């Protein structure tokens, strides 16, 4: 059974810092990996989708990398802003059309 | 795009009553939708996979008679929590997948059973 772990569970940084969120998964046979953002009491917003054949994806200040063989992904956030404060979730799917397996998330607080 | 709409966003019901939650794919057809449940400070746990035109597939430990799923069309799946009890209070969220867009989630439903 696929297990997804996210480290750290919580993170507090001052505004402007660059930061890295980590995600690891036990079964490297994944179809894709997706990073989401969740604000308190809200649904999920997709940030980046990485197919298993890709090594990274970038969107604005966000960059996600994937090392499938080692079962790891990182989400890099550049020049953090208070508006980035949220919970960041990493999830993997085993095949096309399969449900996602989620990590428990990293709760990020960016202080002004 | 790939937009999923979920309603209601918040519902309070009395113990013993039933609640229906709707999940719609607005700009694409979704043959498969997923229903998740999230308890406070926990991650999303898959409850069931909803397949258009056939029975849903439930995860171990999820009571199919309590959580009724209907996927009657390619754009609509519903989750009905029957005879709700306080322990069913949770955040329920649906998802659909569209190729090249990945997984898209609804905005979630906060269910409180009193």
């Amino acid at each position: 059974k696929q297990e997804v772990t996210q480290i750290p569970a919580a993170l507090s940084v001052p505004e402007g810092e660059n930061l890295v969120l980590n995600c690891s998964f036990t079964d490297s046979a994944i179809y894709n990996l997706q990073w989401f953002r969740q604000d308190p009491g809200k649904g999920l917003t997709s940030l980046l989708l990485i197919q298993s054949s890709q090594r990274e994806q970038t969107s604005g200040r966000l960059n996600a990398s994937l090392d499938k063989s080692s079962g790891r992904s990182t989400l890099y956030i550049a020049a953090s802003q208070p508006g980035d404060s949220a919970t960041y979730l990493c999830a993997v799917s085993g095949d096309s059309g399969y449900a996602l397996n989620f990590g428990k998330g990293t709760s990020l607080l960016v202080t002004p | 795009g790939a937009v999923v709409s979920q309603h209601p966003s918040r519902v309070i019901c009395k113990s013993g009553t039933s609640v229906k939650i709707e999940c719609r794919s607005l700009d694409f057809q979704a043959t498969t939708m997923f229903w998740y449940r999230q308890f406070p400070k926990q991650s999303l746990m898959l409850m069931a996979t909803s397949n258009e035109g056939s029975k849903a597939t439930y995860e171990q430990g999820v009571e199919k008679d309590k959580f009724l799923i209907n996927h009657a069309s390619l754009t609509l799946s519903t989750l009905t929590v029957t005879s709700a009890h306080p322990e069913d209070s949770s955040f329920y969220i649906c998802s659909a997948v569209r190729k090249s867009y990945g997984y898209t989630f609804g905005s979630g439903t906060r269910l409180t059973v009193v």
Side-chain angles (χ1 to χ4, degrees):
Chain A
K1 185 180 182 290
Q2 178 76 271
E3 299 285 343
V4 181
T5 303
Q6 289 187 246
I7 294 173
L11 182 63
S12 180
V13 300
E15 182 177 8
E17 275 203 7
N18 303 323
L19 55 100
V20 175
L21 308 181
N22 297 290
C23 172
S24 62
F25 45 95
T26 53
D27 186 349
S28 62
I30 65 169
Y31 184 74
N32 57 35
L33 181 145
Q34 200 161 351
W35 282 93
F36 296 89
R37 167 186 174 139
Q38 185 176 31
D39 292 285
K42 304 293 185 183
L44 276 65
T45 300
S46 178
L47 297 174
L48 290 164
L49 168 69
I50 310 178
Q51 303 291 350
S52 61
S53 58
Q54 299 173 322
R55 292 195 62 86
E56 69 174 344
Q57 285 288 337
T58 298
S59 176
R61 294 183 292 109
L62 305 179
N63 175 277
S65 67
L66 173 64
D67 184 342
K68 205 173 76 161
S69 60
S70 68
R72 294 182 182 182
S73 175
T74 61
L75 178 67
Y76 176 82
I77 302 177
S80 59
Q81 303 170 357
D84 295 331
S85 299
T87 295
Y88 290 80
L89 294 164
C90 167
V92 298
S93 69
D95 203 346
S96 175
Y98 279 28
L100 289 170
N101 283 297
F102 282 87
K104 290 187 177 181
T106 293
S107 177
L108 172 65
L109 175 64
V110 181
T111 56
Chain B
V3 180
V4 172
S5 175
Q6 186 173 342
H7 294 280
S9 59
R10 189 179 295 268
V11 59
I12 300 173
C13 71
K14 290 185 177 180
S15 188
T17 62
S18 296
V19 173
K20 180 185 283 189
I21 303 169
E22 290 190 350
C23 181
R24 294 181 185 271
S25 56
L26 297 186
D27 51 358
F28 67 104
Q29 294 181 330
T31 55
T32 302
M33 290 186 178
F34 306 97
W35 287 95
Y36 294 83
R37 179 167 53 185
Q38 185 180 34
F39 290 107
K41 299 194 183 299
Q42 298 295 315
S43 189
L44 279 74
M45 298 300 296
L46 179 67
M47 298 177 64
T49 300
S50 170
N51 303 297
E52 186 270 335
S54 64
K55 290 183 179 180
T57 304
Y58 291 81
E59 295 299 298
Q60 192 172 9
V62 178
E63 300 174 58
K64 61 180 181 181
D65 294 330
K66 181 170 187 60
F67 299 99
L68 300 179
I69 291 173
N70 185 284
H71 196 150
S73 77
L74 287 171
T75 59
L76 174 64
S77 175
T78 61
L79 167 68
T80 301
V81 183
T82 63
S83 186
H85 290 286
E87 57 265 32
D88 298 324
S89 298
S90 186
F91 187 67
Y92 294 86
I93 189 166
C94 67
S95 171
V97 58
R98 187 177 193 187
K99 225 172 184 181
S100 79
Y101 287 90
Y103 293 78
T104 303
F105 284 78
S107 55
T109 297
R110 171 71 59 194
L111 171 64
T112 303
V113 184
V114 298

